[in-house]
């Protein structure tokens, strides 16, 4: 499975103590390396309890490579760390299959990793995953957000669901409602609860790189832990803020169910979950329609969710208007 992810620059061979990658062969002339690491969090407990392991590997890769692309970097290679008390070969095969599929989908070579058996560290059936991705971007093409300006447009990329953040709360809500993961999903007819919640994190690499290469992307933000309100300000100059309109995109049913089941206030919902927007791009007004077309052609559902405004001292870096009326608790 790892061999199937081979790309220029590496043969994706396994078995040695380290793996080599040739940046020149990959076509770079003056590259900067970008590195990320992440995990899947307590979403793994849902996979373990539901007995479904074929999608968490996709989550693992997505959480890493979606961070890489924020700086305009092309993912080059990926390594995984898989730890368990006693290896379940079939579960491991499903996990690695998901990792390999996601790596192949974004052109990222799976060049190695570590499988650790640690009796006494994990309960029977439990495991943990961590991922490490390295990408590269030409020095003069790095996206830093430095040229973001007031009145720029914020484009939101639709998410595929909860992705991989907020699952400690999700699991608590499931427990409090006495649902089982084998029960029908109350927010998605035709699917079991575990299956619906395990919908993998969307991979935004190919579409985001298409937009970057088309020119005009000033900043990108991957919406992970901290939701919309904490992640968008990370890529903005300190004197600017994001102003979003909650009515400009639909709140997916899974978030409406979570909000109602736990009586979550809308601001807290936006601070905990992606709320239907998994990635955002900041672009100049004159580029918004063109880049929306590029992203749509790449398979994304795009919403114009807000704009950039001056940020007075002491004010928050992201405001979402209409939360109380659009996402009533």
């Amino acid at each position: 499975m790892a061999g199937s992810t081979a790309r220029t620059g590496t043969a994706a061979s396994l078995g040695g103590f380290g793996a080599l990658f040739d940046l020149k062969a990959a076509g770079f002339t003056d590259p900067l390396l970008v590195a990320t690491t992440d995990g899947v969090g307590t979403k793994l407990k849902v996979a373990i309890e539901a007995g479904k392991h074929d999608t968490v590997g996709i989550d693992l890769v997505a959480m890493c490579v979606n961070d890489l692309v924020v700086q305009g970097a092309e993912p080059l290679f990926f390594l995984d760390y898989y730890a368990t008390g006693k290896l379940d070969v079939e579960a491991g095969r499903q996990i690695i299959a998901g990792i390999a599929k996601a790596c192949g989908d974004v052109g990222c070579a799976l060049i190695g990793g570590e499988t650790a058996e640690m009796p006494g560290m994990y309960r029977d059936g439990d495991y943990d995953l961590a991922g490490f991705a390295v990408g590269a971007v030409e020095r003069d093409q790095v996206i830093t957000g430095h040229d973001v300006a007031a009145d720029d447009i914020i484009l939101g990329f639709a998410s595929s669901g909860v992705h991989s953040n907020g699952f400690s709360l999700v699991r608590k809500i499931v427990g409090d409602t006495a649902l089982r993961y084998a029960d029908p999903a109350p927010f998605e007819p035709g699917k079991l609860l575990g299956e619906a919640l395990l919908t993998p994190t969307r991979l935004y690499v190919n579409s985001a790189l298409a937009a970057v290469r088309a020119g005009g992307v000033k900043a990108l933000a991957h919406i992970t832990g901290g939701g919309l309100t904490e992640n968008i300000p990370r890529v903005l100059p300190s004197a600017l803020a994001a102003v979003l309109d909650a009515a400009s995109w639909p709140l997916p049913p899974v978030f409406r169910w979570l909000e109602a089941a736990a009586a979550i206030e809308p601001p807290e919902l936006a601070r905990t979950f992606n709320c239907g927007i998994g990635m955002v791009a900041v672009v100049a007004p004159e580029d918004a329609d063109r880049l929306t077309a590029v992203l749509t052609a790449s398979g994304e559902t795009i919403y114009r969710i807000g704009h950039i405004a001056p940020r007075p001292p002491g004010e928050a870096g992201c405001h979402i208007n209409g939360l109380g009326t659009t996402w009533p608790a």
Side-chain angles (χ1 to χ4, degrees):
M1 288 186 285
S4 71
T5 69
R7 55 157 292 157
T8 53
T10 180
S13 58
L14 302 177
F17 288 93
L20 302 177
F21 192 92
D22 187 341
L23 283 168
K24 186 175 181 180
F28 290 90
T29 56
D30 185 22
L32 294 173
L33 292 179
V34 183
T36 62
T37 184
D38 213 331
V40 185
T42 59
K43 188 175 186 176
L44 292 178
K45 290 294 290 183
V46 179
I48 292 164
E49 292 178 29
K52 180 175 167 54
H53 311 282
D54 59 336
T55 57
V56 289
I58 300 173
D59 286 300
L60 183 66
V61 175
M63 292 299 290
C64 294
V65 298
N66 285 346
D67 279 354
L68 283 181
V69 80
V70 161
Q71 291 175 281
E74 173 187 338
L76 300 176
F77 56 85
F78 187 86
L79 300 99
D80 69 277
Y81 175 79
Y82 171 34
T84 186
K86 179 176 174 56
L87 181 63
D88 179 330
V89 174
E90 178 53 27
R93 188 198 66 78
Q94 292 181 40
I95 292 164
I96 300 302
I99 293 173
K101 180 184 185 308
C103 283
D105 286 349
V106 299
C108 181
L110 175 58
I111 61 172
E114 167 74 356
T115 300
E117 284 189 294
M118 297 189 285
M121 282 288 290
Y122 298 90
R123 292 183 298 181
D124 287 348
D126 281 358
Y127 59 85
D128 197 11
L129 292 173
F132 312 88
V134 172
V137 58
E138 296 290 1
R139 189 180 303 271
D140 60 356
Q141 297 173 13
V142 179
I143 297 175
T144 65
H146 72 279
D147 56 346
V148 172
D151 298 324
D152 281 347
I153 300 299
I154 302 172
L155 302 178
F157 302 46
S159 70
S160 55
V162 183
H163 286 185
S164 299
N165 296 103
F167 269 87
S168 293
L169 179 56
V170 171
R171 290 170 47 245
K172 182 181 186 304
I173 292 169
V174 171
D176 289 347
T177 55
L179 285 168
R180 299 172 303 166
Y181 293 117
D183 291 337
F187 53 86
E188 192 166 348
K191 282 194 176 182
L192 302 180
L193 178 60
E195 178 188 11
L197 290 175
L198 288 169
T199 300
T201 305
R202 186 163 178 81
L203 292 155
Y204 295 111
V205 169
N206 296 335
S207 56
L209 285 178
V212 168
R213 289 163 182 162
V217 174
K218 295 186 175 186
L220 289 163
H222 184 201
I223 309 305
T224 54
L228 292 160
T229 54
E230 294 184 8
N231 282 290
I232 299 177
R234 295 169 64 182
V235 300
L236 303 180
S238 60
L240 297 174
V243 180
L244 310 182
D245 178 3
S248 62
W249 78 94
L251 184 68
V254 61
F255 299 109
R256 291 200 178 275
W257 175 72
L258 291 167
E259 180 186 37
I264 304 171
E265 292 297 321
E268 186 62 24
L269 196 73
R271 197 163 39 241
T272 305
F273 299 109
N274 67 62
C275 296
I277 300 295
M279 180 78 78
V280 303
V282 181
V283 305
E286 62 270 22
D287 292 325
D289 288 342
R290 176 177 59 85
L291 288 171
T292 295
V294 170
L295 290 164
T296 301
S298 298
E300 301 298 344
T301 299
I302 300 296
Y303 302 99
R304 191 175 294 206
I305 64 171
H307 66 279
I308 302 297
R311 178 181 181 179
E315 291 292 318
C318 181
H319 305 273
I320 307 179
N321 295 327
L323 278 180
T325 54
T326 308
W327 304 351

